[in-house]
Amino acid sequence: MEIHLTNYKNLTILRDDLIEGGSKMRFIHKLLEPNKKGYIYCSMGYGAFQVALSVWCKQNNKKCVIFTPDKKLLDKNTLKLYENGADVKLIKYGYTSVLNKRAKDFNINNDYQILHFGANCEIAIHSISDIMKQIIEKLGYEPKNIYCAVGSGTLLSGILKGTKKSIIHGIIIGKKFNIEHERIKLYKYPKPFSYESKLNIPFNSNKNYDRKVLEIALKNNIPKSFFWNVN
């Protein structure tokens, strides 16, 4: 897939919002066993991986089954699943352990592949690393500062692997996360995931996720910084 870069104020931005399904569409096919009837994913409702999976399944005529909590007000990304033809299983008392149990029970005949949360695996991390190296080659330099959102930590780990000197600013959106490395600086966004960023920008960026990272990157105002816009 083509690498689309945009300059905005002090940032160079990877515009993966231009890809249907976002950044994970760049490597999701590498995670999937082709002989399976379809794929199962457990989501708390707001993540981007479920959307990428539903888009890929729609494009490749595969079943996409998502187990997610039954909420009074469904998340925007859950609604996208319906648009993409996914089989959405709304589970009462949808804690992670309950979702995983329901998914295993559903897949009793092993017709489906159950995927890890956030695609957090070495294949995904290595793929992101390769993409980061391609970005550096296109830029002609390695950015001194890179900003990214942190959910499962897959993107952060891939960027770290694909760089040698960059300081990586990871903004934690939602659940707790921790990793220690001399080139990583972690920040916890002060408001809950449900809060939508009010930042006004001239391109698409998820108000619950990436746009919150942009707030911090623009406030820091470090010249020639890089931001990975997931979707």
Side-chain angles (χ1 to χ4, degrees), residues 149-165:
V150 178
S152 67
T154 309
L155 179 60
L156 177 70
S157 298
I159 293 173
L160 179 64
K161 186 174 182 180
T163 54
K164 296 178 180 178
K165 300 178 294 183

Side-chain angles (χ1 to χ4, degrees), residues 27-68:
F27 59 82
I28 194 170
H29 61 285
K30 298 180 182 179
L31 310 178
L32 306 178
E33 298 174 16
N35 60 326
K36 293 295 185 181
K37 178 180 179 180
Y39 308 96
I40 296 172
Y41 186 70
C42 296
S43 170
M44 296 312 292
Y46 42 73
F49 183 80
Q50 59 180 341
V51 178
L53 182 62
S54 68
V55 170
W56 190 94
C57 288
K58 178 182 67 174
Q59 294 175 349
N60 292 275
N61 197 30
K62 290 280 190 175
K63 287 278 290 181
C64 176
V65 184
I66 307 295
F67 287 81
T68 191

Side-chain angles (χ1 to χ4, degrees), residues 94-112:
Y95 301 104
T96 301
S97 58
V98 176
L99 298 179
N100 289 336
K101 178 66 166 56
R102 293 295 186 89
K104 288 179 181 178
D105 291 345
F106 178 87
N107 196 34
I108 191 169
N109 294 322
N110 200 33
D111 294 328
Y112 294 80

Side-chain angles (χ1 to χ4, degrees), residues 79-97:
L79 296 177
K80 289 180 182 179
L81 301 177
Y82 288 106
E83 295 174 10
N84 293 329
D87 182 3
V88 181
K89 307 291 188 184
L90 299 175
I91 308 300
K92 290 184 179 180
Y93 312 110
Y95 301 104
T96 301
S97 58

